[in-house]
Amino acid sequence: MTGIEFKSSPEFSLGMEIELQLLNPHTLELVDGILPLLAQDADNSYLQPEFKQASVEISSQICRNIHELEANIWDILCQLKTRCQNLGMNICAAGTHPFSTRFTPVTPLPRYLTQQHASGYLAEIMTTFALQIHVGMPSGDAAVNIMGRLKPYLPILLALSASSPFWSGYDTGFASYRRCFLSSLRTYGIPPTFPTWQDFSDFFITAQNAGIFEIIRDIHWDLRPQPNLGTLEIRIMDAQPTVKESIMLAAFVHSLILYLYECSKGRKTGFLLSPLPWLMEKENFFRASRWGLDANYIEDQEGNSRPIRNIVKDILDAIGMTADTLRESPYLHLLAQRLDSGPSYIRQRRIFENTGSLQAVVASLVKELAD
């Protein structure tokens, strides 16, 4: 088969995409604002439409380090907030909108309309919001190698990022209901493992011939290679209410990937999570989605489990020297502190318990992003 070219990018460069909620500032309900927002400046490259018109995606530039990424995201968000205010909208970020029950319309672009036709009713209720992190890879073989090594860590990233406990006005009992919902769609979920880039290329061409995918972007796995960008894209995380939380997770992912790369070359040794049989792998994703940081992670093929909080501490210890090299240690210290205070799903539930109001939950999300 003809291979797919992987256009390598600067090694371990960073990029970030955040899907944000567009809100009516008075009712805090989702508002279909992407078309007027894009009409303000059609050539704006850092603002992108998403599947639903009540969402806007911001995309960073290619950044050399975490500090450059943080500054770039702040700059984009400040510009976006001004544009939204001029149109009578507000913004917030979380994996789902806590109380919206309205079927928000699909953005009328050919790719999204095709996706809507293929997904049926699921497309009508698919209103979710993600954080996506890109890390530059030197080659396609390196990308799929790190992809396989990173896969056991995806439930950990899900638990750390969980911010979607509410759906259509209900407490779902999940820390990340967004991931639970998306796993029901045919092109989403746990990625396969590929020994080489040629194996991935052959897979994609076969799937393309079968009419499953048209382009790489039709693959919506929790983790996927992006050959046109030369990156590995981590897609499992819920959108984060604050920039600081997004950057903390980016630093964690960045240090972890470089650590895994160094281990693959025999230049580092230390704590590593190992691939598991399919059922145990799937169970870890479910547990992280359901219980977040309170989940027990199945760690070996005998079925032994440990609390995710303890495993996060082991990972942080293992990647500490790598984080020092990348000047990312302060962000990882903040991440360690959040093991006690908890991710957004805990904060959202606490506000609802204190107020009985999901509007108060959304108002808190608006304030967190603004602050």
Side-chain angles (χ1 to χ4, degrees), residues 18-20 93-95 129-131 161 163 178 237-241 246 344:
I18 307 174
E19 297 167 2
L20 295 146
F129 308 86
L131 166 68
S161 70
S163 69
R178 166 190 159 270
M237 292 169 287
D238 284 357
Q240 298 298 287
S246 297
S344 175

Side-chain angles (χ1 to χ4, degrees), residues 2-20:
T2 303
I4 298 171
E5 180 186 3
F6 187 93
K7 300 176 182 178
S8 62
S9 61
E11 285 191 27
F12 309 109
S13 57
L14 275 167
M16 179 179 286
E17 297 164 343
I18 307 174
E19 297 167 2
L20 295 146

Side-chain angles (χ1 to χ4, degrees), residues 54-285:
S55 177
V56 59
E57 181 180 86
I58 61 171
S59 301
S60 78
Q61 63 189 23
I62 300 172
C63 299
R64 293 166 296 178
N65 55 60
I66 197 72
H67 309 287
E68 189 176 297
L69 178 65
E70 184 174 22
N72 185 230
I73 290 294
W74 272 115
D75 181 55
I76 293 171
L77 271 176
C78 288
Q79 294 181 54
L80 174 62
K81 187 169 181 62
T82 299
R83 292 173 181 273
C84 287
Q85 287 175 335
N86 291 339
L87 291 168
M89 295 187 293
N90 215 330
I91 52 174
C92 76
T96 55
H97 186 282
F99 66 81
S100 180
T101 57
R102 184 174 65 87
F103 287 2
T104 56
V106 172
T107 303
L109 295 174
R111 178 167 171 263
Y112 292 142
L113 294 174
T114 299
Q115 187 177 341
Q116 179 186 29
H117 177 74
S119 300
Y121 178 74
L122 289 173
E124 303 304 323
I125 58 175
M126 190 173 69
T127 307
T128 62
F129 308 86
L131 166 68
Q132 292 144 9
I133 296 169
H134 290 258
V135 179
M137 290 285 123
S139 68
D141 282 327
V144 296
N145 178 274
I146 296 301
M147 185 175 168
R149 293 172 181 270
L150 187 61
K151 193 162 66 161
Y153 294 83
L154 294 180
I156 308 297
L157 293 173
L158 179 60
L160 286 168
S161 70
S163 69
S164 50
F166 299 105
W167 179 269
S168 297
Y170 293 93
D171 187 333
T172 65
F174 283 79
S176 174
Y177 187 73
R178 166 190 159 270
R179 204 276 170 181
C180 179
F181 168 77
L182 290 179
S183 64
S184 65
L185 294 162
R186 68 172 184 159
T187 61
Y188 289 75
I190 305 171
T193 299
F194 301 96
T196 67
W197 178 251
Q198 187 62 53
D199 291 310
F200 172 82
S201 180
D202 292 347
F203 158 82
F204 180 78
I205 291 170
T206 300
Q208 194 177 46
N209 290 340
I212 301 172
F213 309 122
E214 290 187 15
I215 57 176
I216 293 288
R217 289 178 61 200
D218 292 335
I219 299 174
H220 298 105
W221 299 332
D222 299 323
L223 177 64
R224 72 181 179 191
Q226 278 277 29
N228 291 334
L229 300 176
T231 65
L232 188 60
E233 181 183 1
I234 298 88
R235 303 170 46 82
I236 194 168
M237 292 169 287
D238 284 357
Q240 298 298 287
T242 68
V243 173
K244 186 63 71 178
E245 287 170 301
S246 297
I247 298 299
M248 283 160 44
L249 288 167
F252 182 74
V253 167
H254 196 217
S255 292
L256 176 59
I257 284 179
L258 183 54
Y259 170 76
L260 294 175
Y261 182 78
E262 293 292 317
C263 287
S264 74
K265 298 297 182 183
R267 296 196 286 258
K268 280 190 184 297
T269 59
F271 177 79
L272 291 169
L273 293 176
S274 301
L276 292 171
W278 173 79
L279 184 60
M280 293 181 182
E281 178 183 66
K282 186 177 179 183
E283 176 68 10
N284 276 335
F285 280 82

